[in-house]
Amino acid sequence: MLYLASKSPRRHELLARLGVDFGTIDLDIPEQRQPGEGADGYVRRVAREKAGAGLLKVVATPGAVVLGSDTEVILDDEVFGKPANADDAAAMLRRLSGRTHRVVSAVWLVSAARELEAVSVSEVTFDTLDEARIAAYIATGEAFGKAGAYGIQGLAETFVSRLDGSFSGVMGLPLYETASLLRRFGLLRESGVAA
């Protein structure tokens, strides 16, 4: 049985696209970068911690496999998490305006017997955003609960002048990498159909 260790509706929607049956585990893992920890290493560690904590909740289920994932927006080695409020969201969007940032999405699949990891790195270039455009976007409410204060699958898609990488990875779960891991665990056939 596959479990998704995430309460993110975007991850749930993306994983469902692969046609696999899965349960959801609601976790609250602290997402705090350690002193001296690289941005990419931080994303990978948090994803692994989510998967491991999820496995502890379902370890009594025979054959349980848990998927943990984390996605972060990174600019100049600074990790842009979810904004605390409208001012925080506006500050993030001002920093991303007219620049290229990286979106790192790490995925771990763990069971009692094994674990596998995949990482997707995308480069996203934003158009120059003026204050009115930033304020209008924040007013939609879409900036909240999302790394970097934007959701590429919504109105912020109009901010993106260039994307080099995985659209689903920027959304929160890179489907190419996730499908590859699921195949290696025998949960998805080569044809892409659920096993």
Side-chain angles (χ1 to χ4, degrees):
M1 175 69 184
L2 176 66
Y3 293 91
L4 173 64
S6 175
K7 51 191 171 191
S8 163
R10 290 164 300 285
R11 284 199 186 103
H12 192 278
E13 173 198 332
L14 287 164
L15 186 57
R17 288 182 191 175
L18 297 178
V20 292
D21 290 326
F22 63 95
T24 304
I25 303 168
D26 193 357
L27 296 172
D28 217 356
I29 299 295
E31 297 186 24
Q32 190 69 37
R33 192 169 168 190
Q34 303 299 323
E37 184 175 36
D40 292 47
Y42 163 73
V43 179
R44 294 173 62 205
R45 176 181 58 80
V46 169
R48 173 62 184 88
E49 286 178 0
K50 289 177 182 178
L55 187 61
L56 288 176
K57 287 195 168 198
V58 296
V59 73
T61 305
V65 177
V66 177
L67 187 156
S69 182
D70 189 47
T71 300
E72 299 293 348
V73 168
I74 301 167
L75 179 68
D76 301 331
D77 198 50
E78 182 181 346
V79 176
F80 286 46
K82 299 175 181 106
N85 52 44
D87 289 341
D88 194 24
M92 288 183 189
L93 293 171
R94 280 186 206 106
R95 297 264 318 276
L96 297 174
S97 172
R99 308 248 340 249
T100 299
H101 61 272
R102 293 187 313 128
V103 178
V104 177
S105 197
V107 182
W108 282 85
L109 268 190
V110 301
S111 69
R114 66 193 285 215
E115 56 183 54
L116 294 172
E117 176 199 24
V119 178
S120 165
V121 180
S122 301
E123 290 194 347
V124 181
T125 304
F126 266 21
D127 186 14
T128 301
L129 308 176
D130 62 26
E131 288 299 316
R133 203 165 168 198
I134 289 171
Y137 181 69
I138 292 170
T140 69
E142 211 178 82
F144 303 104
K146 297 175 183 74
Y150 76 93
I152 196 169
Q153 71 280 9
L155 295 170
E157 190 171 2
T158 64
F159 299 169
V160 179
S161 62
R162 181 173 171 78
L163 168 64
D164 183 9
S166 168
F167 186 86
S168 59
V170 177
M171 259 184 86
L173 186 68
L175 290 184
Y176 174 81
E177 289 80 359
T178 300
S180 175
L181 293 179
L182 291 170
R183 278 194 293 274
R184 291 170 65 190
F185 260 81
L187 298 171
L188 198 66
R189 294 192 184 100
E190 287 302 320
S191 62
V193 177

